[in-house]
Amino acid sequence: MWLYFIRAYVGTGLFFYFKSIKVYDIENVVKNKPALLLSNHQNALLDALIIAVKSGRFSYFLTRAGVFNKPFVAKLLKSFQMLPVYRVRDGWGKLSNNEAIFEACSKLLNNGASVVIFPEGNHSLKRMVRPLSKGFTRIVFETLETYPTADLQLVPVGVNYAEATSFPDSASIYFGKPIAAKPYYLNDRNAAVVKLKAKIQAEIGQLTTDIPKANYEVTIEALKRLEVDFLNPKAVNTCVASNLQNCVAGKVVSSSVLKPMLLVLLKCAYVLPFLIWRYMVKPKIKEIEFIATFRFAMVIILAPLWLISLFVILLLTLGWHVAVAYVLISLCIALLAVKL
């Protein structure tokens, strides 16, 4: 019940935050088999939240261990089925803790669970698939070694954003065809790791924009001038592969003339959360990849608290008619400002 509530609550937050989230090929997420969902990683926590809400399964997530430092936060994250994974920057001595985490993942997969991993190992707003780490291959092969009968399926995932740091934004998520893991279980482990990494990298590269590292800045600026639709990675990748000759511009969606006024009304209706975000939270964000994550946190934490507080104050002073009317009007302003 807790997970159903969290998914519904976060899903509502995503609905109010994004202009749209388009989901493609959801049928590729197998329901009755153990599944390892392998996704690109651009937009910090929002990537995980979109997958959690839109994949149709209650998945376990491997998350960098640094966010588990505080006991209360660690307990809360574990209730969301998030597991800590340690990296070199966390200290060489802590890397051994991954043994227990990988064993736990193997047990979960053997029991038919779904586990989500971001195999790039870090996040970046650059529209490319970075080299994959071999951590996910270790989970794959150790699962098959320990549980030979497990029919483990690997599902590549591509999460795409129109403009990740802007608000409101739009997103799309593509689920690739499931890949049976057993055929990659070779006697030569090193060869198996190389082969599997190459396969998953190629598959993810088809589900999200994958611009070659060489001349990246020149290419991305050219794509922006061409106004390509970054929510359609297949078309964008075709454009890049053709040396920008076979390109299709995205549909131009003109904003409503009321948009600027609605955004002003939105800031007024949620003035305290906006001020906290603008002057207390945003200036302290050191990594641009976390901008959308912290902004979204304002949406799902402070905005509801603000509305509830005003509802109580208006209820006690002006009556329930005014209190209900204010809440409904505030929600309508938020929806119109985001969706139009």
Side-chain angles (χ1 to χ4, degrees):
M1 291 301 296
W2 170 246
L3 291 176
Y4 274 107
F5 168 75
I6 290 299
R7 185 166 70 177
Y9 186 73
V10 172
T12 302
L14 292 173
F15 177 75
F16 277 91
Y17 184 87
F18 284 94
K19 186 172 184 177
S20 68
I21 301 178
K22 297 179 180 179
V23 181
Y24 296 91
D25 305 318
I26 184 65
E27 67 277 5
N28 287 332
V29 182
V30 291
K31 305 296 185 192
N32 57 351
K33 295 181 180 181
L36 195 60
L37 275 61
L38 301 162
S39 174
N40 66 310
H41 199 16
Q42 289 187 347
N43 206 2
L45 185 59
L46 275 183
D47 294 340
L49 294 179
I50 290 176
I51 294 173
V53 171
K54 299 298 183 179
S55 67
R57 294 193 65 169
F58 288 115
S59 299
Y60 290 82
F61 289 80
L62 288 187
T63 309
R64 65 181 189 177
V67 299
F68 288 80
N69 288 335
K70 296 183 179 180
F72 173 76
V73 175
K75 185 175 292 188
L76 184 65
L77 293 177
K78 288 178 181 178
S79 76
F80 298 156
Q81 298 192 159
M82 301 177 79
L83 305 173
V85 61
Y86 296 85
R87 299 172 297 176
V88 173
R89 69 180 65 179
D90 298 313
W92 285 100
K94 293 184 178 181
L95 290 178
S96 59
N97 294 337
N98 285 334
E99 297 288 343
I101 297 300
F102 292 159
E103 288 180 11
C105 287
S106 293
K107 289 181 181 179
L108 289 168
L109 290 169
N110 183 55
N111 291 330
S114 169
V115 177
V116 177
I117 297 179
F118 299 100
E120 290 169 303
N122 52 43
H123 54 221
S124 172
L125 289 181
K126 287 190 173 182
R127 299 182 189 271
M128 64 170 64
V129 180
R130 299 177 301 287
L132 307 187
S133 65
K134 63 180 181 181
F136 83 94
T137 64
R138 180 177 172 184
I139 292 175
V140 170
F141 296 132
E142 288 187 4
T143 299
L144 295 177
E145 285 178 356
T146 309
Y147 308 100
T149 60
D151 188 11
L152 178 58
Q153 301 292 306
L154 311 178
V155 182
V157 182
V159 184
N160 305 273
Y161 300 91
E163 184 53 60
T165 59
S166 67
F167 175 80
D169 191 19
S170 294
S172 65
I173 179 170
Y174 291 77
F175 295 100
K177 291 183 179 180
I179 302 166
K182 283 185 179 179
Y184 292 87
Y185 186 44
L186 308 175
N187 292 328
D188 186 339
R189 174 63 68 86
N190 290 332
V193 168
V194 172
K195 185 177 180 180
L196 185 55
K197 283 175 60 177
K199 175 63 175 176
I200 297 302
Q201 176 132 10
E203 292 295 322
I204 295 176
Q206 296 179 35
L207 304 174
T208 187
T209 300
D210 189 16
I211 302 173
K213 187 175 181 180
N215 299 318
Y216 174 86
E217 297 298 337
V218 174
T219 303
I220 191 67
E221 290 303 320
L223 291 173
K224 290 178 180 178
R225 288 195 299 271
L226 291 169
E227 297 182 341
V228 299
D229 182 6
F230 287 111
L231 302 183
N232 184 353
K234 183 177 180 180
V236 178
N237 289 335
T238 298
C239 174
V240 174
S242 67
N243 197 24
L244 307 181
Q245 297 302 310
N246 185 15
C247 302
V248 178
K251 294 181 180 179
V252 178
V253 181
S254 58
S255 298
S256 169
V257 293
L258 298 176
K259 188 79 169 183
M261 183 179 70
L262 288 169
L263 289 174
V264 171
L265 290 175
L266 180 65
K267 294 175 183 178
C268 294
Y270 299 86
V271 59
L272 184 58
F274 170 73
L275 291 176
I276 292 174
W277 157 251
R278 181 66 179 83
Y279 296 103
M280 296 179 64
V281 177
K282 189 176 181 180
K284 295 181 180 180
I285 299 175
K286 297 179 180 179
E287 296 181 55
I288 191 173
E289 289 84 1
F290 279 108
I291 288 179
T293 293
F294 280 100
R295 187 194 285 120
F296 180 71
M298 301 294 101
V299 171
I300 64 171
I301 299 175
L302 289 188
L305 290 176
W306 173 250
L307 279 184
I308 292 171
S309 299
L310 287 180
F311 176 82
V312 172
I313 293 171
L314 293 173
L315 180 66
L316 296 176
T317 57
L318 300 176
W320 71 270
H321 293 88
V322 175
V324 171
Y326 179 83
V327 170
L328 291 178
I329 291 172
S330 297
L331 291 174
C332 288
I333 290 173
L335 276 176
L336 292 172
V338 171
K339 303 298 182 181
L340 285 183

